[in-house]
Amino acid sequence: MNETLKIINSRRSTRAFSDRSLSNEEKEMIYQATFRAPSAGNMMLYSIIEVEDQALKEKLVETCDNQPFIAKSPFVLVFLADYQRWWDYYQVSGAQAKAMELKRPSRQPQVGDLMLSCCDALIAAQNAVIAAESLGIHSCYIGDIMENYEIHRDLFNLPKYTFPIAMLCFGFPKHEKIKSELTPRFQPQYIVFKNQYQRLDQEKFQQMYFHLEGKFMKIDPPPNGAENVGQHNYLRKFTADFSFEMSRSVAVMLKNWSNE
Ligand SMILES: Cc1cc2nc3c(=O)[nH]c(=O)nc-3n(C[C@H](O)[C@H](O)[C@H](O)COP(=O)(O)O)c2cc1C
């Protein structure tokens, strides 16, 4: 296996960081790799907020579903889907006036633009993860940054056409010896389809979970009553408070984004 594949295949999320901070050179290398990510139309439809302020990190612990390790991370990056920069540039560059002159249609940023910006932001974020990993710096995504939209908007002074789609906590692992076992994944035949989407039936689900059921249950003991991974996940994730909050938060952002 080559070095790139080794890094990708041995990566695991780390949530316990040592006190060691990243050097400026290490940060630079991570940023450089981040910016080399592919980008729709090469527009770089994202921005990054480096959270340096410890008080702000502590606040994010609270607003991101009470995850204390956020405050222990020496390098925290919030990835914003960002159409605002281009929208502002369109104003500054007289783009709408030019379109009118040419009798071309005009519009505001819409949900499709948001989706594209999210793609750019997440692809860039994953480049950062892999670059960091190659330097021995571990990381963990925080999806809960999509919650509490109004609070995060005020905390980071976010304009209308931006949205924090992911946060990354980086750091050197606290424990020298990391658990060797990687988290399990589904087998490829349930994930990769040839030519057409395949919905799974009960039998397929049973096969799909057969080799994982024991592992999942062991990693994360099920709440009372859950008899399988489906029930466990529904109770623990899908109907958890954070899921309701995430949906509420994203709905507020969407309304704001598409309110012309
Ligand atoms: C979009 C996204 C959001 C995530 N959010 C969180 C989070 O809020 N807290 C956390 O501890 N891990 C979070 N994770 C990490 C996942 O739990 C982790 O990737 C998954 O359990 C698989 O484990 P592995 O990365 O070690 O292979 C997130 C991962 C992704 C891709």
Side-chain angles (χ1 to χ4, degrees), residues 82-182:
D82 182 359
Y83 223 97
Q84 189 70 52
R85 188 167 40 239
W86 274 92
W87 184 240
D88 288 346
Y89 184 45
Y90 291 155
Q91 314 304 311
V92 167
S93 62
Q96 272 180 324
K98 178 55 83 180
M100 272 172 73
E101 191 188 308
L102 297 172
K103 302 202 169 15
R104 297 280 297 275
S106 174
R107 68 179 185 89
Q108 304 271 125
Q110 289 167 308
V111 177
D113 305 303
L114 170 65
M115 295 295 279
L116 207 60
S117 309
C118 290
C119 292
D120 262 21
L122 290 172
I123 291 165
Q126 187 58 14
N127 256 29
V129 165
I130 299 303
E133 200 74 18
S134 76
L135 300 169
I137 298 159
H138 291 206
S139 60
C140 187
Y141 277 92
I142 303 289
D144 298 278
I145 194 71
M146 284 190 271
E147 291 157 37
N148 292 306
Y149 167 66
E150 302 91 325
I151 297 176
H152 293 145
R153 181 186 59 194
D154 294 349
L155 275 181
F156 298 121
N157 196 23
L158 300 181
K160 179 171 174 171
Y161 295 121
T162 59
F163 180 61
I165 188 68
M167 180 159 76
L168 275 171
C169 295
F170 294 91
F172 291 93
K174 185 170 184 176
H175 308 291
E176 290 256 311
K177 199 171 175 322
I178 299 159
K179 271 198 297 176
S180 57
E181 206 182 335
L182 294 169

Side-chain angles (χ1 to χ4, degrees), residues 11-13 15 67 69 140-144 183 185:
R11 186 214 56 83
R12 47 178 306 137
S13 298
R15 300 174 179 84
Q67 302 192 72
F69 72 89
C140 187
Y141 277 92
I142 303 289
D144 298 278
T183 51
R185 296 290 194 262

Side-chain angles (χ1 to χ4, degrees), residues 232-247:
H232 176 43
N233 189 283
Y234 189 88
L235 296 170
R236 178 85 200 260
K237 301 270 184 199
F238 192 69
T239 57
D241 288 349
F242 79 83
S243 292
F244 283 103
E245 167 51 27
M246 193 179 286
S247 291

